[in-house]
Amino acid sequence: MVVSYRSAATIEDCLERLRACDGVGAIRVVDNQSDDGTLDIVQRQASLDPRLRFIANPDNPGFSVGCNQGAADLEPAADGDDWLAFVNPDCMVETDTLRRLRALGEGLGDCLLSADLVNEQGERDAAVRRRDPDFAAMLAGIARPWAAPKMAVAPDDALALQQVQATSGALMLMPRSLFARIGGFDEGYRLHAEDLDLCRRVREAGGVVAVANGVRVVHVRGVSSRSRPFFVEWNKHRGLWRYFRKFEAPRRGALVRAGVFAAIWLRFPIAALRAALR
C-alpha cells in the first residue's frame, strides 16, 4: 500500500523495489492529486505489472483516507492469512524486507511491525522507536515552547524485535485481520499522528508494536513535505491535539486540557518558521 503526493522524485524506485519484493501479491497506490508527474510514473509501473493498480483521487483527503482506500481495494486472501504493508513512496525496501518482517511477526500473533529506517547517510530515524506523547512534559515546558518533548527511544540491537509504544507510519506491516478489527486508520487525521493513534489502538487491542532492528530500509524523508512546510506543521500540531482529545482528555481536568491546548499551539508558529527556513 503506497499513498503518494508529489512523490515523483522517489516513487519509481520505490515501486520497482516493491514489485521485486518477495511475497508481494498485490500493490495498491492511492495518489492524492499529485501535480508533479507522480501519476504518470505510477501508470507506467502499473502497465508493467498486473499486481499493481492505482486510485487517482480528485483531491487530497489525507494519508489516513488513502491508506484505508488502498486496503479496501485489495482482495482478501482465500485462507484469510494476509498481511498489509504500508510503505511511504520514499521508502526503499530490499527484496527480502517484507518476507523477513512477516517471519518475525508470525510468532507474535496480533502485531504491528516496522523496520530500522535510516536516511541515505545511514543515520537512524528517531521516529521509528517512540513513546506515546508525554503531555505532562509538554505542560512542564509550556514556558519553553521551542523545546519539543522527547519521544524517541534508543535502539537496543541486542533485540531482534524491540517492543515500543509507537513506530513510524513510513513503513508498517500488520495482519489484515487486526487492521480490520481496530477499524483501520482514523481518517480524522490528515497527516501526522495517525501512526501514533494506530499503534496505540493496536496495543489497546492486545497486540504488540515492535521494530525489527536487523531489517534496515532507507527512508528518504520528507520529499513531498518540503514544498509545503506550513501546511505540514499545521496538520502535525492539529493531529497531536486530536490524539490528546481522543486518548487523554477524557480523564483530565479542564485546566490540564486548556494547558495542553496552549502548549501545542504556542509551539506551532515556532515549528512552522523552523520548517520554512529548512
Side-chain angles (χ1 to χ4, degrees), residues 17-18 53 57 76 79 83 101 104 125 142 195 198-199 204-205 214 260 263 270 278:
R17 287 168 176 268
L18 279 174
R53 297 210 310 250
N57 283 329
D79 61 2
W83 290 60
L101 285 177
L104 288 165
D125 185 348
I142 197 167
D195 49 5
L198 189 73
C199 289
E204 289 179 347
V260 171
I270 299 168
R278 285 197 300 269

Side-chain angles (χ1 to χ4, degrees), residues 116-118 123-131 151-155 166-168 221:
D116 186 23
L117 303 183
V118 299
E123 298 165 333
R124 284 171 143 166
D125 185 348
V128 172
R129 302 166 187 83
R130 286 184 285 179
R131 302 178 183 87
M151 295 169 59
V153 175
T167 189
S168 169
R221 292 192 61 172

Side-chain angles (χ1 to χ4, degrees), residues 168-217:
S168 169
L171 175 59
M172 289 179 162
L173 180 78
M174 62 191 300
R176 182 173 186 155
S177 58
L178 174 61
F179 184 78
R181 181 154 57 87
I182 66 173
F185 281 93
D186 180 344
E187 296 183 2
Y189 298 92
R190 190 170 176 84
L191 74 162
H192 290 288
E194 72 287 314
D195 49 5
L196 298 172
D197 180 292
L198 189 73
C199 289
R200 183 151 178 171
R201 287 186 288 120
V202 165
R203 288 167 26 228
E204 289 179 347
V208 171
V209 178
V211 178
N213 287 328
V215 181
R216 180 159 285 196
V217 173

Side-chain angles (χ1 to χ4, degrees), residues 1-253:
M1 204 83 54
V2 180
V3 177
S4 60
Y5 174 75
R6 294 182 180 174
S7 305
T10 59
I11 196 166
E12 186 148 38
D13 195 6
C14 172
L15 293 179
E16 286 179 350
R17 287 168 176 268
L18 279 174
R19 289 172 51 213
C21 212
D22 298 337
V24 173
I27 302 169
R28 294 294 178 270
V29 180
V30 180
D31 185 75
N32 283 340
Q33 202 184 24
S34 294
D35 55 7
D36 66 340
T38 294
L39 198 53
D40 292 336
I41 296 169
V42 174
Q43 288 174 317
R44 183 167 65 250
Q45 288 289 318
S47 72
L48 300 173
D49 194 325
R51 296 174 301 168
L52 198 164
R53 297 210 310 250
F54 63 89
I55 298 168
N57 283 329
D59 56 1
N60 186 349
F63 179 77
S64 294
V65 172
C67 286
N68 289 345
Q69 280 182 290
D73 192 63
L74 287 167
E75 294 291 332
D79 61 2
D81 183 30
D82 50 352
W83 290 60
L84 299 176
F86 299 94
V87 183
N88 272 17
D90 52 7
C91 272
M92 306 301 162
V93 298
E94 301 298 333
T95 305
D96 61 352
T97 296
L98 299 180
R99 174 175 54 80
R100 292 172 66 194
L101 285 177
R102 177 166 177 170
L104 288 165
E106 283 178 337
L108 294 177
D110 284 341
C111 62
L112 185 158
L113 302 182
S114 189
D116 186 23
L117 303 183
V118 299
N119 65 15
E120 293 166 293
Q121 290 72 48
E123 298 165 333
R124 284 171 143 166
D125 185 348
V128 172
R129 302 166 187 83
R130 286 184 285 179
R131 302 178 183 87
D132 291 333
D134 186 345
F135 294 102
M138 192 176 293
L139 279 175
I142 197 167
R144 300 169 62 245
W146 58 87
K150 302 300 181 185
M151 295 169 59
V153 175
D156 183 352
D157 289 323
L159 300 173
L161 274 176
Q162 181 177 354
Q163 290 194 30
V164 293
Q165 291 182 325
T167 189
S168 169
L171 175 59
M172 289 179 162
L173 180 78
M174 62 191 300
R176 182 173 186 155
S177 58
L178 174 61
F179 184 78
R181 181 154 57 87
I182 66 173
F185 281 93
D186 180 344
E187 296 183 2
Y189 298 92
R190 190 170 176 84
L191 74 162
H192 290 288
E194 72 287 314
D195 49 5
L196 298 172
D197 180 292
L198 189 73
C199 289
R200 183 151 178 171
R201 287 186 288 120
V202 165
R203 288 167 26 228
E204 289 179 347
V208 171
V209 178
V211 178
N213 287 328
V215 181
R216 180 159 285 196
V217 173
V218 173
H219 180 206
V220 186
R221 292 192 61 172
V223 170
S224 64
S225 300
R226 291 170 190 156
S227 63
R228 46 179 189 161
F230 183 89
F231 174 84
V232 169
E233 288 299 329
W234 170 263
N235 281 284
K236 189 180 294 186
H237 287 72
R238 177 178 172 271
L240 192 58
W241 175 240
R242 178 177 179 82
Y243 179 98
F244 173 77
R245 287 192 295 114
K246 183 173 179 177
F247 295 109
E248 300 289 335
R251 56 193 181 91
R252 305 292 184 184

